[in-house]
Amino acid sequence: QVQLVESGGGLVQAGGSLRLSCSASGGITGVMAWYRQAPGKQRELVAAIANGGTLNYVDSVKGRFAISRDSAKNTVYLQMNNLKPGDTAVYYCKQTTPWGAGYWGQGTQVTVSS
């Protein structure tokens, strides 16, 4: 059973930075992505990175967030800079394997104060 464990969330002031980590027990093959869900809102894709290195970001985080992967550590990162109160949400890691299976982590809370 694949397990994804997120870490790195917390409370930060607006303009600050956080780095989220997602450790995958089965390796980081396929597409690795970060989603977020704010209270009362639908879960949305924030950033994704494919095996070949293709990157994708939601417009609201372009230029502020960066997704990366370290295959040797089976870990995907989300570097978040210039955080805004609107970034407050629970952030989830998702893995979509090459054979189409999807796995989610338990989520980590990010709170940005104004």
Side-chain angles (χ1 to χ4, degrees), residues 20-103:
L20 305 183
S21 299
C22 171
S23 177
S25 64
I28 54 173
T29 56
V31 178
M32 301 298 298
W34 287 96
Y35 286 73
R36 67 186 178 187
Q37 187 166 19
K41 295 187 177 181
Q42 289 188 330
R43 192 172 297 189
E44 66 169 351
L45 174 66
V46 175
I49 184 167
N51 259 340
T54 301
L55 306 176
N56 187 36
Y57 296 96
V58 68
D59 286 346
S60 60
V61 307
K62 286 180 180 178
R64 300 189 298 121
F65 290 12
I67 188 170
S68 61
R69 57 198 296 159
D70 186 335
S71 296
K73 296 182 178 179
N74 290 336
T75 300
V76 176
Y77 303 97
L78 184 68
Q79 178 67 44
M80 306 186 294
N81 299 324
N82 190 21
L83 283 160
K84 304 176 180 181
D87 295 317
T88 296
V90 178
Y91 284 71
Y92 297 90
C93 179
K94 182 183 181 183
Q95 179 177 26
T96 305
T97 66
W99 48 94
Y103 302 94

